[in-house]
Amino acid sequence: MALIVQKFGGSSVADADGIKRVARRIVDTHKAGNRVVVVVSAMGDTTDDLIDLAAAVTTEPTAREMDVLLSAGERISMALLAMAVTDLGVPAHAFTGQQAGLHTDTVYGAASIVGVVPERIGRVLKNNEIAIIAGFQGVNRHNDVTTLGRGGSDTTAVAFAAALRADVCEIYSDVDGVLTADPRICKSARHIAALTYEETLEMAAHGTKILHLRAVEYARRFDVPLHVRSSFSNKEGTWIVNESTRSRWDGDNEAPIISGISHDTSQAKITVTRVPDEPGAAARIFQVVADAGSSIDMIVQNVPVNQPGQATISFTLPVPEIKRAVFALERAREELGFAEIIKDDGVGILSLIGTGMRSHPGVTAKFFAALAEAGINIDMISTSEIRISTVLAAADVPEAVRVVHKAFDLDAEDEAIVYGGTGR
């Protein structure tokens, strides 16, 4: 008898029919002899609707009350799903994050998990019944509701899988597993049978929306096997595991050179000109940005030949964070000694990812040759052991995804299917 944690995204439970379909899948898993714990997201666009409602009544909602409000979406879906499962003859019990025992720090809106005490969930499983948990939420030491940020239901599911020592954590969305590219841009995207945690972390960090970054980090830390599947089909999906066990799903073949292509058009670029070319100058700039609460991704520093003693520093960060980063830098202009700040929110990041890069020369050359042949100019470059990323114009991103995908022979014969249209 296996213990399976199943997580269902908002597109899977978007309406009554979707909830009933998910309930049947849960019951089928239970009747196959498994113990089942379910984590569920809010229905469809509920979270966005709640945010809009808050904006309609106040321009400055408090963080605590926003968490109370936004947690309501998952509570609705957990209760309805428990009703639907019970109606199929298997007793199911709904739990909020607090009732289920998920404890967080005191950061509202983006709380981190500090512990999971699933006592009530364990009692439900002992009675051979099904526990259904509201994702995305927990409770802090003040006994206040907290939320984990966008995509937090994935992290909730992995956290309970780790705490319960589940055999697998199944993540259900509206696509048949992880694909080699976004099927909304690249219709020939191919299904990936298996990925390592490291590859998935790189993909999640650089635009692939199928999994929450923190969920993958949690799974890697506790070695929780993830199985990404569609709730709209019975296809095998994608396994995400440690590198030593990947071959179980890839077969005896060597891991592919390239696993997939990610893109991100939610980033902006800031360039700081005529920075003193001296030790500590970059550190001071990035400390100011960090103190403003901004997260930096890619960084490039140049020393123009016609400006001795001065440097130009460019970096990317999420678009919503650009305003406060620029404000903080401008306020510290005299201390930092730079000349000008140039903002560009029309950029995108294209990333090529695969553990096979470690042992195959020529990947970089092929990547940039494909972009050059398509007439796509690049701005910044960043690499890791298993990733190459480049900044380019946001308008060029769709074509760049397609030409690089084709250059590395990732195209499938059939078009990828997106059942619900959201990717989650």
Side-chain angles (χ1 to χ4, degrees):
M1 177 185 290
L3 172 54
I4 299 174
V5 174
Q6 297 181 323
K7 179 265 176 178
F8 293 92
S11 61
S12 299
V13 293
D15 52 29
D17 287 340
I19 290 171
K20 290 179 180 179
R21 182 182 62 253
V22 166
R24 288 192 292 271
R25 184 181 286 269
I26 294 167
V27 170
D28 287 345
T29 304
H30 180 268
K31 288 184 175 179
N34 303 297
R35 293 179 295 158
V36 183
V37 174
V38 177
V39 173
V40 64
S41 298
M43 298 172 62
D45 297 324
T46 299
T47 300
D48 290 334
D49 293 341
L50 291 172
I51 292 172
D52 291 342
L53 279 173
V57 300
T58 178
T59 57
E60 295 185 5
T62 62
R64 179 186 181 276
E65 273 57 51
M66 280 300 292
D67 274 9
V68 173
L69 174 67
L70 297 183
S71 66
E74 279 72 16
R75 295 181 184 215
I76 292 169
S77 55
M78 76 174 190
L80 291 171
L81 186 55
M83 294 175 191
V85 170
T86 301
D87 196 55
L88 294 175
V90 180
H93 305 273
F95 298 93
T96 66
Q98 179 177 7
Q99 292 169 334
L102 191 145
H103 299 271
T104 76
D105 60 17
T106 56
V107 178
Y108 297 106
S112 295
I113 297 170
V114 298
V116 180
V117 186
E119 292 181 359
R120 297 184 71 178
I121 307 304
R123 290 198 293 269
V124 170
L125 292 174
K126 189 174 181 179
N127 292 330
N128 199 31
E129 297 172 342
I130 293 173
I132 298 179
I133 303 169
F136 174 66
Q137 62 186 258
V139 62
N140 65 23
R141 59 185 174 85
H142 303 302
N143 210 33
D144 285 341
V145 172
T146 54
T147 63
L148 307 181
R150 285 288 190 174
S153 292
D154 290 351
T155 308
T156 302
V158 176
F160 277 99
L164 294 165
R165 298 184 180 180
D167 295 277
V168 62
C169 180
E170 297 180 340
I171 306 290
Y172 287 91
S173 67
D174 59 8
V175 291
D176 293 319
V178 183
L179 305 178
T180 50
D182 187 336
R184 297 160 195 78
I185 287 179
C186 186
K187 295 185 183 299
S188 60
R190 181 189 300 169
H191 164 256
I192 305 171
L195 289 166
T196 65
Y197 295 124
E198 288 72 22
E199 288 172 319
T200 311
L201 281 170
E202 291 281 16
M203 294 175 79
H206 292 89
T208 299
K209 305 300 184 187
I210 196 71
L211 275 172
H212 195 222
L213 179 62
R214 286 163 61 190
V216 184
E217 291 173 339
Y218 209 113
R220 180 176 65 170
R221 188 189 321 157
F222 293 98
D223 199 17
V224 176
L226 301 178
H227 193 186
V228 181
R229 309 180 68 184
S230 172
S231 63
F232 297 83
S233 77
N234 291 312
K235 293 184 178 180
E236 176 59 21
T238 302
W239 284 89
I240 298 169
V241 293
N242 62 54
E243 192 164 2
S244 65
T245 59
R246 175 179 181 165
S247 60
R248 177 178 172 186
W249 291 276
D250 264 343
D252 294 330
N253 298 324
E254 186 177 356
I257 300 173
I258 300 302
S259 291
I261 299 167
S262 295
H263 74 277
D264 187 358
T265 54
S266 66
Q267 297 275 315
K269 185 181 74 167
I270 290 177
T271 299
V272 185
T273 67
R274 299 179 67 179
V275 177
D277 184 20
E278 62 186 26
R284 291 191 291 272
I285 286 175
F286 295 130
Q287 187 61 58
V288 168
V289 175
D291 291 343
S294 297
S295 301
I296 293 172
D297 184 8
M298 298 173 63
I299 302 170
V300 169
Q301 177 172 325
N302 295 315
V303 179
V305 293
N306 61 343
Q307 295 176 4
Q310 297 178 332
T312 297
I313 297 176
S314 298
F315 57 91
T316 61
L317 72 173
V319 169
E321 298 175 10
I322 190 170
K323 184 176 181 180
R324 63 175 179 263
V326 169
F327 178 79
L329 287 168
E330 290 286 9
R331 189 171 54 184
R333 178 192 288 263
E334 185 174 342
E335 173 194 348
L336 298 174
F338 63 84
E340 183 184 10
I341 294 175
I342 302 170
K343 300 176 291 183
D344 185 357
D345 58 4
V347 302
I349 299 177
L350 179 73
S351 299
L352 191 69
I353 297 157
T355 55
M357 290 185 190
R358 295 175 178 144
S359 55
H360 288 78
V363 171
T364 303
K366 181 182 286 190
F367 176 66
F368 289 112
L371 294 175
E373 289 173 10
I376 297 172
N377 193 36
I378 60 173
D379 191 355
M380 300 168 64
I381 301 169
S382 172
T383 64
S384 75
E385 189 179 23
I386 63 170
R387 173 186 54 81
I388 306 169
S389 295
T390 183
V391 174
L392 58 162
D396 289 334
V397 167
E399 180 64 10
V401 170
R402 288 188 285 266
V403 298
V404 173
H405 197 268
K406 184 176 182 180
F408 284 90
D409 298 320
L410 297 176
D411 288 351
E413 293 182 3
D414 301 322
E415 288 191 4
I417 300 173
V418 181
Y419 299 91
T422 68
R424 295 201 69 84

